[in-house]
Amino acid sequence: MSDALAQEQAKARAVDVARNAYGRLLALLVSRTRDVAAAEDALSEALTRALTTWPTQGVPNNPEAWIFTVAKNRLFDDARRAKRWGASPLTELEEMTAPTPETNVPDRRLRLMFVCAHPAIDESVRTPLMLQVILGLDADTVGRAFLVPPRAMAQRLVRAKRKIKAAGIKMRDPDPEELPARMGAVLEAIYGAFATEEDDGLRSEAEFLARMVVALAPGDPEALGLLARILYAKARVVPAAVFVPLSERDPETWNRDEIAEADALLAKARRARQLGRFQLEAAIESVHCARIHTGVTDWTALVFLYEGLMHLAPTIGAAVARAAAVGEARGAEAGLRALSLIDESALETFQPAWATRAHLLARAGDPVAARAAFARAIELTERESVRAYLSQQRARLDR
Amino acid sequence: MRYTLFLHSDESQAANFSEADWAEIKTAYGEYIGMLREAGVFLDTDWLQPSNTATTITLKDGARRIQDGPFASSKEQMGGYFVIEVDDLDTALAWAEKCPAAHTGVIEVRASAM
């Protein structure tokens, strides 16, 4: 193997550990120090050092433990210098063992999430804070997702971390009576991780965290709904170089076990008779997945479910998805009418609105307007495969 | 960690208290202090004279200035405090919740910075 290749591989390995172990390692470090910002700094320094030393000295046998130990030592040195945290947490920190496949260190991520969801933390920052500390997303990405300017978001996040440290909010499993008040923000963050981007790492992280929440609160219908929602989507993931819209995907390629598990979770959630946003989201996915049994998509049911979603959790995405479903259930004209009822200014830069409008116009027999809508949709699309698909659809208008 | 619980309440209510009310209040606080001591978390407490008896002093403008009255006049005033030694905010909040003052006013919980 050439040196250059070995260096590339070492670098890739460091990035890989950063991606897969970030939240787990950070939660472990914070569990002793309560200082989220200091733990973040130490962890990021350890990851940087891995990026520079692994390519020349080789990847250690246990990369995760290596990074953890470097971060821990850095925290320990800092604390000793500043005489922070008093004697006992310092000793605990020193005695902490690095996570190795053999030691089976308990996963502290959920505890850290419940710290972020503490009622003493400003409500608007709870979910963003979780996305940052558990998933390592930067303030820019989190800010974009919450439509807050990056600098304002960064300030809120810094303030929240300072509060956790100064007020002495400790990591521990929440009492059962504390769960309901904190559950909402925790589920939001997991869903955010799942939906932020088409990122496999974040998606499997979201599934893992959702399973942990369900294990902690097996009767919570929204937690069940969220896990079902994630599994339905995962069941349909087929690696493909080209983009295929959901309605054209072949159900034979879907994962029946995952769909069955999601069905069971959703059925269990329904028995609580407490409808919520994530159960509706899951129900929508279940209608799509039902095609594996029935061969058809029940668009009328989807219209109904999207209307429920717009009522419980009104978003521009739900309104546009409803219009698309109306277009399938009652014809393209009806779909366009539904789309025209949505606030125009909100749709201007919303890619799904333009893609939906283009398809509906094409089906309604207005190729000129459809072409313009496709052009706008393509302009707003970031993913190359989706752009290619939309261009193909536009080209069909000319035939 | 050391936490101070600041007890804020509407002082005007106290004017309507009867002899029996005061006796009841004293018993309730006595029991609360007993619980804190028994748990080994009690450090200090005080019950203050009404805020209209307060005097402020400052040297910040270069001259010594003494004034009658509280620093900030608002309906809710700090009437007393507890200092406790507990492990974390949740434990401090749990103790604040048990304080009789929680039923009649608002308790502000702050950790020591020392």
Side-chain angles (χ1 to χ4, degrees):
Chain A
M1 188 162 39
S2 76
D3 276 3
L5 184 61
Q7 285 187 12
E8 257 336 288
Q9 284 181 348
K11 215 181 254 178
R13 196 64 219 276
V15 172
D16 194 47
V17 176
R19 177 176 241 163
N20 291 313
Y22 184 88
R24 214 155 4 110
L25 296 179
L26 188 73
L28 264 181
L29 293 167
V30 177
S31 69
R32 292 301 191 275
T33 64
R34 300 183 197 181
D35 190 336
V36 179
E40 279 177 334
D41 288 347
L43 188 53
S44 104
E45 195 182 288
L47 289 167
T48 310
R49 202 184 298 174
L51 274 175
T52 52
T53 54
W54 293 2
T56 53
Q57 294 171 17
V59 179
N61 285 332
N62 187 339
E64 230 172 86
W66 188 97
I67 286 174
F68 179 81
T69 306
V70 171
K72 189 185 85 169
N73 290 344
R74 156 77 203 276
L75 271 179
F76 190 69
D77 289 347
D78 276 4
R80 205 170 27 195
R81 217 171 296 136
K83 292 210 166 57
R84 271 186 302 194
W85 302 325
S88 97
L90 259 186
T91 322
E92 281 183 58
L93 184 64
E94 194 179 33
E95 284 165 0
M96 270 174 90
T97 46
T100 67
E102 300 83 43
T103 52
N104 197 14
V105 175
D107 197 309
R108 296 285 183 233
R109 271 177 292 179
L110 204 55
R111 284 187 177 195
L112 185 54
M113 291 186 87
F114 279 99
V115 165
C116 299
H118 197 284
I121 302 293
D122 173 24
E123 197 175 347
S124 70
V125 80
R126 289 177 202 161
T127 305
L129 185 61
M130 276 182 253
L131 287 174
Q132 175 156 83
V133 302
I134 303 294
L135 302 166
L137 299 184
D138 59 26
D140 281 17
T141 311
V142 179
R144 261 201 310 281
F146 287 84
L147 307 175
V148 173
R151 194 194 292 190
M153 180 55 85
Q155 280 169 352
R156 283 187 212 172
L157 291 168
V158 166
R159 191 180 163 269
K161 286 173 212 164
R162 202 180 293 143
K163 166 83 189 247
I164 290 173
K165 181 183 161 195
I169 300 175
K170 195 178 163 188
M171 277 173 72
R172 56 177 180 80
D173 286 330
D175 295 333
E177 67 267 22
E178 292 170 337
L179 275 179
R182 302 194 196 181
M183 195 56 103
V186 169
L187 296 180
E188 284 289 337
I190 296 173
Y191 186 67
F194 169 76
T196 298
E197 47 193 320
E198 305 266 319
D199 179 323
D200 291 344
L202 284 185
R203 289 197 155 206
S204 55
E205 188 104 343
E207 181 193 339
F208 181 82
L209 292 170
R211 284 192 188 280
M212 282 210 291
V213 175
V214 166
L216 186 70
D220 188 300
E222 281 294 271
L224 293 164
L226 178 61
L227 181 55
R229 163 78 176 86
I230 291 171
L231 289 175
Y232 280 129
K234 189 182 168 209
R236 295 191 311 250
V237 171
V238 181
V242 292
F243 174 77
V244 182
L246 180 52
S247 57
E248 287 168 32
R249 282 182 215 167
D250 177 9
E252 286 309 311
T253 62
W254 298 349
N255 185 322
R256 283 173 185 270
D257 292 344
E258 279 167 346
I259 292 176
E261 189 188 353
D263 284 342
L265 288 163
L266 194 53
K268 189 178 173 200
R270 263 191 214 117
R271 285 198 286 277
R273 301 202 163 276
Q274 217 182 325
L275 190 59
R277 177 208 170 173
F278 293 117
Q279 291 168 75
L280 272 176
E281 296 250 13
I284 287 164
E285 296 301 320
S286 81
V287 171
H288 285 296
C289 285
R291 194 148 61 84
I292 201 170
H293 305 298
T294 62
V296 291
T297 302
D298 186 346
W299 291 104
T300 308
L302 286 173
V303 172
F304 176 72
L305 289 168
Y306 276 118
E307 275 162 11
L309 197 57
M310 284 165 69
H311 185 70
L312 277 182
T315 61
I316 194 76
V320 170
R322 176 189 171 263
V326 167
E328 297 291 340
R330 302 176 203 154
E333 303 282 356
L336 286 167
R337 263 199 308 280
L339 208 52
S340 71
L341 293 175
I342 306 169
D343 177 18
E344 192 72 27
S345 62
L347 296 185
E348 201 41 50
T349 55
F350 192 58
Q351 189 269 0
W354 287 99
T356 302
R357 177 172 290 155
H359 285 294
L360 291 171
L361 285 167
R363 280 182 38 214
D366 187 347
V368 178
R371 222 171 265 125
F374 270 123
R376 182 74 178 130
I378 291 164
E379 217 174 87
L380 292 168
T381 304
E382 279 179 30
R383 269 174 69 198
E384 185 52 47
S385 58
V386 178
R387 262 206 306 273
Y389 168 77
L390 292 170
S391 303
Q392 216 174 39
Q393 294 293 307
R394 181 174 56 179
R396 273 198 195 172
L397 290 168
D398 301 327
R399 269 178 240 149
Chain B
M1 286 177 96
R2 196 162 72 235
Y3 287 87
T4 302
L5 319 182
F6 297 94
L7 318 183
H8 298 269
S9 63
D10 181 356
E11 293 179 325
S12 61
Q13 285 176 350
N16 308 321
F17 287 164
S18 67
E19 199 77 20
D21 288 337
W22 283 116
E24 205 177 300
I25 289 167
K26 276 181 187 151
T27 313
Y29 276 93
E31 280 170 10
Y32 181 59
I33 292 168
M35 280 159 67
L36 292 170
R37 282 190 196 281
E38 204 170 315
V41 300
F42 180 85
L43 288 181
D44 190 17
T45 184
D46 209 349
W47 183 348
L48 307 176
Q49 291 288 352
S51 65
N52 59 16
T53 69
T55 310
T56 59
I57 179 166
T58 179
L59 302 176
K60 79 174 183 214
D61 297 323
R64 174 171 172 271
R65 208 152 61 100
I66 294 180
Q67 263 191 321
D68 174 41
F71 168 60
S73 54
S74 67
K75 205 167 151 225
E76 309 247 292
Q77 286 287 345
M78 191 182 91
Y81 65 85
F82 282 91
V83 183
I84 59 175
E85 176 74 41
V86 293
D87 212 33
D88 66 343
L89 179 67
D90 284 309
T91 316
L93 289 171
W95 279 113
E97 198 180 325
K98 292 194 182 89
C99 179
H103 295 280
T104 52
V106 177
I107 301 177
E108 183 178 329
V109 180
R110 281 163 75 171
S112 163
M114 288 177 69

